[in-house]
Amino acid sequence: MGEVVLACEGLKKRYGDLWVLKGIDFEIERGQTKVIIGPSGSGKSTFLRLMGLLEPPTEGKIYFEGKDVYNSGLDLNMLRAKIGFVFQEPSLFRHLTALGNVKLGPKVVLKMKDDEAERKAMEALKTVKLEEWAHHYPAQLSGGQQQRVGIARALAMDPDIILFDEPTASLDIELTWEVIDVMKDLARRGVTMLVVTHELGFAKEVADEILFMDDGRIIESGPPEELLKNPKTPRAREFLRRLIGGV
Amino acid sequence: MFTLENFLFLLQGVPNTLAISFLSFALGFALGIPTAIVKQFSPYGLGYVADAYISVMRGIPVLVIMLLFHFGMAGIIPLFKSAFLSATFALGLRSGAFQSQIFRGAINAVGRQQMMAATSLGMSRWQAFRHVILPQAFIVALPGLGSEIALLIKDSSYAFVLGVLELTKYSDIVRKATRSFLYPYLIAAILYIIITFPVANYLDRLGSRLKTKYGLR
Ligand SMILES: Nc1ncnc2c1ncn2[C@@H]1O[C@H](COP(=O)(O)OP(=O)(O)OP(=O)(O)O)[C@@H](O)[C@H]1O
Ligand SMILES: [Mg+2]
């Protein structure tokens, strides 16, 4: 059994009167890839933001490498630097080139020297096959290229885990593939990944586990072949029937 | 009769008009950025100080601030014995309040997603602000800053009341000397346009060009 990188216990989140997360227990080990699926509004993005330490939980605990994140006086920014995040929304820094985007974190947060940060950034851009686009601004890149720069930006920090929130949801199908290919590649290289996506091909090929989220809870989980073929809960069955049937 | 000589004489007011406008703009810039930042982060609960500053500057006519400085406060603050400096500081203080509003709007326009992306890399709020938000906010702010410079160039004419030898004062001198009532002011009006237009227009176009380049809205 590998080391647990990120975990949570009884995680709840409330916005005003609305409980968006209603008690989630979760853990992921080093090298694993886990995929979250579930209907719109079920709380997937919220769950990821909480696990990325971008928002505090209302109740419950989050553990990074076994340490209780919000109750042991840890420096949150230090931890965030170790948890990569790839967003659905365009999130590249628009005033910086692809290279500038990827090297900013290593420079500002990891305090690397400029040439060292640049080497690190070029390496990450190579991993997502964009080294030739290093000097382009986000506005000059396709949506798929932008997402890959976003992945490189996370990679350049040498994170212990990367969280992906529907990284291909706003992309055309061909652009989706180029992003998914990069992500598969990372999963095979042993990068620890927690991915919200409805690209079931990705889930089938590389996921160790799929989690089905509904109404603020993980109501079913299991290995892809099991959960996708024989969902136990009616909600998951219905959701998958619609997703695959495209209705 | 209004002659070429009168025109050349009138031109002598331009340097002071430019000096008051650009110095007060620089002062406003130096005040506007920290004010916007204080309003954004409210360090030590100081946000209300920024609010108070903005409200006060929005509420007092700039001419009254000038008169207050030069005639009312020269005894306490020797700097204000100079009419030129009184006018420049009055305009600069007001501009600081206005520019802070321009930067606030620009910071909001940059959007929360950029802040979130910076935070996810482990940047502190200040690091995110300095490396991600502010550079983009500058670009968004350019047209607003253009309008602010135009406003300062025009409002520098109030310095005439304090006796500063700027463009409006010179046109008034020429009016008295020549008894030509139309031309001195008309020429001054045209000169104001000639000064204002290129500056404001340049910042406008630079803003649009950079916004397109960087895909900012
Ligand atoms: N910052 C917020 N303030 C208030 N309500 C929020 C906030 N963020 C999310 N919500 C609400 O929480 C619920 C879950 O949202 P969330 O974005 O986590 O769902 P999701 O599963 O990611 O959905 P989608 O598939 O559409 O992305 C929604 O009802 C949403 O309106
Ligand atoms: Mg979502």
Coordinates of all heavy atoms in Angstrom, one line a residue, chain B residues 59-88:
Chain B
G59 N -15.9 65.1 -2.8 CA -16.9 66.1 -2.3 C -16.5 67.6 -2.4 O -17.4 68.4 -2.3
I60 N -15.2 67.8 -2.5 CA -14.8 69.2 -2.5 C -14.4 69.7 -3.9 O -13.6 69.0 -4.6 CB -13.6 69.4 -1.6 CG1 -13.8 68.8 -0.2 CG2 -13.3 70.9 -1.4 CD1 -12.6 68.8 0.7
P61 N -14.9 70.8 -4.4 CA -14.4 71.3 -5.7 C -12.9 71.6 -5.6 O -12.4 72.1 -4.6 CB -15.2 72.7 -5.8 CG -16.3 72.6 -4.8 CD -15.9 71.7 -3.7
V62 N -12.3 71.2 -6.7 CA -10.8 71.3 -6.7 C -10.3 72.8 -6.5 O -9.3 73.0 -5.9 CB -10.2 70.6 -7.9 CG1 -10.4 71.5 -9.1 CG2 -8.7 70.3 -7.7
L63 N -11.1 73.7 -7.0 CA -10.8 75.1 -6.8 C -10.8 75.5 -5.3 O -9.9 76.2 -4.9 CB -11.7 76.0 -7.6 CG -11.5 77.5 -7.5 CD1 -10.1 77.9 -7.9 CD2 -12.5 78.3 -8.3
V64 N -11.7 75.0 -4.6 CA -11.8 75.2 -3.1 C -10.6 74.6 -2.4 O -10.0 75.3 -1.5 CB -13.1 74.7 -2.5 CG1 -13.1 74.9 -1.0 CG2 -14.3 75.5 -3.2
I65 N -10.1 73.5 -2.9 CA -8.9 72.9 -2.3 C -7.7 73.8 -2.5 O -6.9 74.0 -1.7 CB -8.7 71.4 -2.8 CG1 -9.9 70.6 -2.7 CG2 -7.5 70.8 -2.1 CD1 -9.8 69.2 -3.3
M66 N -7.6 74.2 -3.8 CA -6.5 75.1 -4.1 C -6.5 76.4 -3.2 O -5.5 76.8 -2.7 CB -6.6 75.6 -5.6 CG -6.2 74.5 -6.6 SD -6.2 75.2 -8.2 CE -6.1 73.7 -9.2
L67 N -7.7 77.0 -3.1 CA -7.8 78.3 -2.3 C -7.4 78.0 -0.9 O -6.7 78.7 -0.2 CB -9.2 78.8 -2.4 CG -9.6 79.3 -3.8 CD1 -11.1 79.6 -3.9 CD2 -8.8 80.6 -4.2
L68 N -7.9 76.8 -0.4 CA -7.7 76.4 1.0 C -6.2 76.3 1.2 O -5.7 76.8 2.2 CB -8.4 75.1 1.2 CG -8.6 74.7 2.7 CD1 -9.6 75.6 3.4 CD2 -9.2 73.2 2.7
F69 N -5.5 75.6 0.3 CA -4.1 75.3 0.5 C -3.3 76.7 0.4 O -2.6 77.0 1.3 CB -3.6 74.4 -0.7 CG -3.9 73.0 -0.4 CD1 -3.5 72.0 -1.4 CD2 -4.5 72.5 0.7 CE1 -3.7 70.7 -1.2 CE2 -4.8 71.2 0.9 CZ -4.4 70.3 -0.1
H70 N -3.6 77.4 -0.6 CA -2.7 78.6 -0.9 C -3.0 79.8 0.1 O -2.1 80.3 0.7 CB -2.9 79.1 -2.3 CG -1.9 80.2 -2.7 ND1 -0.6 80.1 -2.5 CD2 -2.1 81.4 -3.2 CE1 0.0 81.2 -2.9 NE2 -0.9 82.0 -3.4
F71 N -4.3 80.1 0.3 CA -4.6 81.2 1.2 C -4.9 80.8 2.6 O -4.6 81.6 3.5 CB -5.8 81.9 0.6 CG -5.5 82.5 -0.8 CD1 -6.2 82.0 -1.9 CD2 -4.6 83.5 -0.9 CE1 -5.9 82.6 -3.2 CE2 -4.3 84.1 -2.2 CZ -5.0 83.6 -3.3
G72 N -5.3 79.6 2.8 CA -5.7 79.2 4.1 C -4.6 78.5 4.9 O -4.5 78.6 6.1
M73 N -3.7 77.8 4.2 CA -2.8 76.9 4.9 C -1.3 77.2 4.7 O -0.4 76.5 5.3 CB -3.1 75.4 4.6 CG -4.4 74.9 5.1 SD -5.0 73.4 4.4 CE -3.8 72.3 5.0
A74 N -1.0 78.3 4.0 CA 0.4 78.6 3.7 C 1.1 78.9 5.0 O 2.3 78.7 5.1 CB 0.4 79.8 2.8
G75 N 0.4 79.4 6.0 CA 1.0 79.7 7.3 C 1.5 78.4 8.0 O 2.5 78.4 8.7
I76 N 0.7 77.4 7.8 CA 1.1 76.1 8.5 C 2.0 75.3 7.7 O 3.0 74.7 8.2 CB -0.2 75.3 8.8 CG1 -1.4 76.1 9.2 CG2 0.1 74.2 9.8 CD1 -2.7 75.5 9.0
I77 N 1.8 75.2 6.4 CA 2.6 74.4 5.5 C 3.3 75.4 4.5 O 2.6 75.8 3.5 CB 1.7 73.4 4.8 CG1 1.0 72.5 5.8 CG2 2.6 72.5 3.8 CD1 -0.1 71.6 5.2
P78 N 4.5 75.7 4.7 CA 5.2 76.7 3.9 C 5.2 76.4 2.4 O 5.2 77.3 1.6 CB 6.7 76.6 4.4 CG 6.6 76.0 5.8 CD 5.4 75.1 5.8
L79 N 5.2 75.1 2.1 CA 5.1 74.7 0.7 C 4.0 75.4 -0.1 O 4.1 75.8 -1.2 CB 4.7 73.2 0.7 CG 5.2 72.3 -0.4 CD1 6.7 72.1 -0.4 CD2 4.5 70.9 -0.3
F80 N 2.9 75.7 0.6 CA 1.7 76.3 0.0 C 1.8 77.8 -0.2 O 0.9 78.4 -0.7 CB 0.4 75.9 0.7 CG 0.1 74.4 0.7 CD1 -0.6 73.8 1.7 CD2 0.5 73.7 -0.4 CE1 -0.9 72.4 1.6 CE2 0.2 72.3 -0.5 CZ -0.5 71.7 0.5
K81 N 2.9 78.4 0.2 CA 3.2 79.8 -0.2 C 3.3 79.9 -1.7 O 3.0 80.9 -2.2 CB 4.5 80.3 0.5 CG 4.3 80.5 2.0 CD 5.5 81.2 2.6 CE 5.3 81.5 4.1 NZ 6.4 80.9 4.9
S82 N 3.8 78.8 -2.3 CA 3.9 78.8 -3.7 C 2.5 78.5 -4.3 O 1.9 77.4 -4.0 CB 4.9 77.7 -4.2 OG 4.6 77.3 -5.5
A83 N 2.0 79.4 -5.2 CA 0.7 79.1 -5.8 C 0.8 77.9 -6.7 O -0.1 77.1 -6.8 CB 0.3 80.4 -6.7
F84 N 1.9 77.8 -7.4 CA 2.1 76.6 -8.3 C 2.0 75.3 -7.6 O 1.3 74.4 -8.0 CB 3.5 76.8 -9.0 CG 3.9 75.6 -9.8 CD1 3.5 75.6 -11.2 CD2 4.6 74.5 -9.3 CE1 3.8 74.5 -12.0 CE2 4.9 73.4 -10.1 CZ 4.5 73.4 -11.5
L85 N 2.7 75.2 -6.4 CA 2.7 74.0 -5.7 C 1.3 73.7 -5.0 O 0.8 72.6 -5.0 CB 3.7 74.0 -4.6 CG 5.2 73.8 -5.1 CD1 6.2 73.9 -4.0 CD2 5.3 72.5 -5.9
S86 N 0.6 74.8 -4.6 CA -0.7 74.6 -4.0 C -1.7 74.0 -5.1 O -2.4 73.1 -4.8 CB -1.3 76.0 -3.6 OG -0.5 76.6 -2.6
A87 N -1.6 74.6 -6.3 CA -2.4 74.1 -7.4 C -2.1 72.6 -7.7 O -3.0 71.8 -7.8 CB -2.3 74.9 -8.6
T88 N -0.8 72.3 -7.8 CA -0.4 71.0 -8.2 C -0.8 70.0 -7.1 O -1.3 68.9 -7.4 CB 1.2 71.0 -8.3 OG1 1.5 71.9 -9.3 CG2 1.6 69.6 -8.8

